[in-house]
């Protein structure tokens, strides 16, 4: 019986002209999932680079200036939730893609997740250093739009002069005790500063420079600066789009 | 050493079978009995059904020969294909096994792995009860216990056959053993 069955198999192979299929045909699905994984890594890295960008202006000097309690509240209010959620989703999708590959079952959840996080962090760090995130963000998210607000919640931190935080572009500067600043909402402010004002990371307050100011709104459009630091990246606002 | 030599032979047989289907007969002959027993242990199918399944299995093996690489032993790869084919067949029939094809000695083997049992034989009545305990185990537990203690596969081999992470296999084996121990104790089988 066994011999018959074995012969039947060989006969079937011959009669039906069955041939061993090519490796590519047998593995194409697995290759697709590897490509999906690489794609999720790239996407995750982009999202991670936006997280870096949005967190960068919480400099230790700002923490000292505002105090830990205020910073904590500020962080939760303006954390880049969108990018954090998207980055987590890409790590999750990457995990599922790896598991769908032919040998995906061999890797543990911890191994796949930590590898994903590590690669996304490294690549995201690189994208940030290469300033790709800034160019991408400025092209994709038009200033003043809803999407811009979601993409750059950091800007909200510097749009509240009433709470003592103001950001914008220097329009006119005498480099002595005051300068004019145009904020994110196109409003022009007169900024007063003195020898007591802490100026971090800036040698000269030049026209065209983007700065973040901590201080107090004196009246109308006059603001007293206690602390000034540069905006973490040079913003290129396309005003024609506004 | 013998094991390694056999693996080299398997690889040689694969190369030969890719070139000439007649050479595939050697692979079928070598694995027929083992896979027959494995299929019988894993399913409730009749001898004729098992022969049909094995025919499908070997045709698949022949089709996929180019996909075999040395990441795992040929035997493990063959078991993986067989296992997947059995599962497809069980799904097609949509019926859970009503009985289990395990020899008395095999039942004792599974039992000995779960308990500190010194006996090699059990009374017929006890064996029937043990059979019912193993039959009522969830499929995933029963499967890994059969592979571990009857097919005598290592955790790495089981991982490749059932395509689950090694940690999951270890935990299935341990939990399966605990379930058997609990059932045997509560039903006072021994």
């Amino acid at each position: 019986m066994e011999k018959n069955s074995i012969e039947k198999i060989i006969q079937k192979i011959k009669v039906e002209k069955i041939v061993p299929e090519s490796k590519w045909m047998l593995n194409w699905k697995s290759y697709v999932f590897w490509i999906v994984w690489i794609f999720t890594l790239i996407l995750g890295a982009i999202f991670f680079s936006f997280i870096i960008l949005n967190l960068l202006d919480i400099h230790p000097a700002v923490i000292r200036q505002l105090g830990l309690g205020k910073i904590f509240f500020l962080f939760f209010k303006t954390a880049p939730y969108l990018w954090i959620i998207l980055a987590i989703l890409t790590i999750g999708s990457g995990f599922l893609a790896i598991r769908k590959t032919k040998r995906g079952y061999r890797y543990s959840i911890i191994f796949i997740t930590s590898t994903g996080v590590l690669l996304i962090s490294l690549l995201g760090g690189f994208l940030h250093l290469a300033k790709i995130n800034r160019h991408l963000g400025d092209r994709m998210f038009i200033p003043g739009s809803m999407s811009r607000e979601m993409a750059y919640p950091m800007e909200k931190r510097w749009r509240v002069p009433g709470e003592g935080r103001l950001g914008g572009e220097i329009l006119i500067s005498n480099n002595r005790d005051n300068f004019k600043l145009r904020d994110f909402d196109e409003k022009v402010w007169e900024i007063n500063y003195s020898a007591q004002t802490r100026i971090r990371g800036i040698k000269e307050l030049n026209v065209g420079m983007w700065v973040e100011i901590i201080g107090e709104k004196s009246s109308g459009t006059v603001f007293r600066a206690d602390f000034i630091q540069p905006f973490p990246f040079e913003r290129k606002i396309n005003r024609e789009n506004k | 050493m013998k094991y390694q030599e056999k693996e080299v032979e398997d690889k040689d047989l694969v190369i030969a079978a890719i070139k000439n289907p007649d050479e595939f007969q050697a692979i079928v002959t070598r694995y027929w009995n083992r896979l027959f027993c494995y299929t019988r242990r894993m399913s409730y199918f009749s001898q004729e059904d098992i022969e049909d399944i094995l025919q499908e299995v070997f045709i698949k093996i022949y089709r996929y020969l180019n996909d075999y690489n040395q990441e795992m032993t040929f035997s493990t790869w063959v078991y993986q294909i067989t296992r997947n084919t059995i599962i497809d067949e069980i799904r097609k029939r949509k019926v859970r096994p009503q009985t289990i094809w395990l020899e008395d000695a095999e039942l004792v083997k599974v039992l000995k792995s779960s308990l500190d049992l010194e006996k090699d034989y059990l009374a017929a009545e006890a064996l029937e009860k043990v059979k019912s305990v193993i039959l009522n185990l969830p499929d995933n537990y029963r499967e890994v216990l059969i592979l571990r203690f009857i097919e005598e596969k290592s955790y790495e081999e089981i991982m490749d056959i059932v395509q689950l992470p090694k940690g999951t296999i270890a935990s299935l084996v341990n939990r399966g053993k605990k379930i058997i121990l609990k059932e045997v104790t509560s039903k006072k089988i021994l």
Side-chain angles (χ1 to χ4, degrees), chain A residues 149-160:
Chain A
E149 286 212 357
M150 286 180 83
Y152 289 127
M154 62 187 285
E155 291 185 352
K156 279 190 258 171
R157 291 174 204 144
W158 308 101
R159 292 172 93 154
V160 278

Side-chain angles (χ1 to χ4, degrees), chain A:
Chain A
M1 189 67 196
E2 177 197 323
K3 208 177 169 191
N4 283 345
S5 298
I6 294 171
E7 276 167 8
K8 257 165 64 182
I9 291 169
I10 304 300
Q11 276 310 308
K12 191 174 177 185
I13 289 172
K14 284 180 177 171
V15 171
E16 294 183 17
K17 291 180 181 161
I18 297 168
V19 288
E21 287 175 25
S22 74
K23 219 170 181 157
W24 168 253
M25 282 297 288
L26 294 169
N27 287 311
W28 70 269
K29 255 190 198 169
S30 201
Y31 299 146
V32 167
F33 282 113
W34 278 114
I35 292 167
V36 170
W37 181 65
I38 292 168
F39 184 69
T40 61
L41 278 187
I42 295 168
L43 266 184
I46 292 171
F47 301 148
F48 185 71
S49 72
F50 278 115
I51 295 174
I52 299 175
L53 200 62
N54 274 285
L55 295 181
L56 212 73
D57 68 338
I58 304 183
H59 189 273
V62 177
I63 299 173
R64 277 198 298 275
Q65 192 69 28
L66 288 175
L68 211 57
K70 264 191 183 171
I71 275 289
F72 204 64
F73 179 71
L74 188 66
F75 175 79
F76 277 100
K77 215 173 151 187
T78 59
Y81 293 110
L82 173 75
W83 302 122
I84 292 171
I85 291 167
L86 288 175
I88 292 170
L89 283 177
T90 53
I91 290 168
S93 319
F95 169 77
L96 294 176
I98 288 264
R99 272 291 166 88
K100 289 273 177 193
T101 61
K102 209 155 199 175
R103 303 276 175 264
Y105 61 85
R106 286 186 176 187
Y107 313 113
S108 67
I109 296 176
I110 294 171
F111 177 77
I112 301 174
T113 313
S114 49
T115 307
V117 170
L118 182 72
L119 292 174
I120 281 175
S121 309
L122 289 174
L123 196 58
F126 167 76
L127 291 177
H128 178 72
L129 291 175
K131 299 181 181 178
I132 291 169
N133 50 356
R134 300 170 196 187
H135 297 301
L136 207 65
D138 284 337
R139 271 177 201 195
M140 283 169 66
F141 309 109
I142 299 161
S145 65
M146 273 286 285
S147 62
R148 175 95 187 181
E149 286 212 357
M150 286 180 83
Y152 289 127
M154 62 187 285
E155 291 185 352
K156 279 190 258 171
R157 291 174 204 144
W158 308 101
R159 292 172 93 154
V160 278
E163 288 178 25
R165 294 188 305 278
L166 184 63
E169 183 186 8
I170 297 175
L171 292 179
I172 305 165
S173 171
N174 64 13
N175 258 321
R176 280 207 312 270
D177 55 8
N178 72 60
F179 59 85
K180 296 253 185 210
L181 177 125
R182 178 159 52 199
D183 70 9
F184 297 120
D185 302 309
E186 302 286 300
K187 197 170 170 184
V188 177
W189 292 79
E190 186 183 329
I191 311 294
N192 294 321
Y193 63 100
S194 64
Q196 276 74 49
T197 305
R198 288 181 61 204
I199 301 177
R200 188 193 74 79
I202 301 170
K203 281 185 185 164
E204 271 183 73
L205 292 161
N206 294 326
V207 172
M209 190 177 270
W210 284 83
V211 290
E212 299 168 345
I213 307 163
I214 298 172
E216 197 180 345
K217 185 179 168 185
S218 315
S219 63
T221 54
V222 181
F223 196 87
R224 193 199 75 230
D226 297 329
F227 174 85
I228 303 173
Q229 71 167 3
F231 211 74
F233 58 94
E234 191 186 327
R235 287 165 45 102
K236 284 190 177 119
I237 289 185
N238 183 359
R239 295 190 192 281
E240 283 168 21
N241 285 335
K242 269 205 84 179

Side-chain angles (χ1 to χ4, degrees), chain B residues 135-153:
Chain B
L135 177 67
N136 287 318
L137 276 175
D139 294 345
N140 47 351
Y141 290 102
R142 196 176 57 241
E143 177 179 35
V144 292
L145 290 177
I146 287 174
L147 284 166
R148 181 79 185 108
F149 301 113
I150 299 176
E151 302 290 339
E152 295 178 345
K153 300 284 181 192

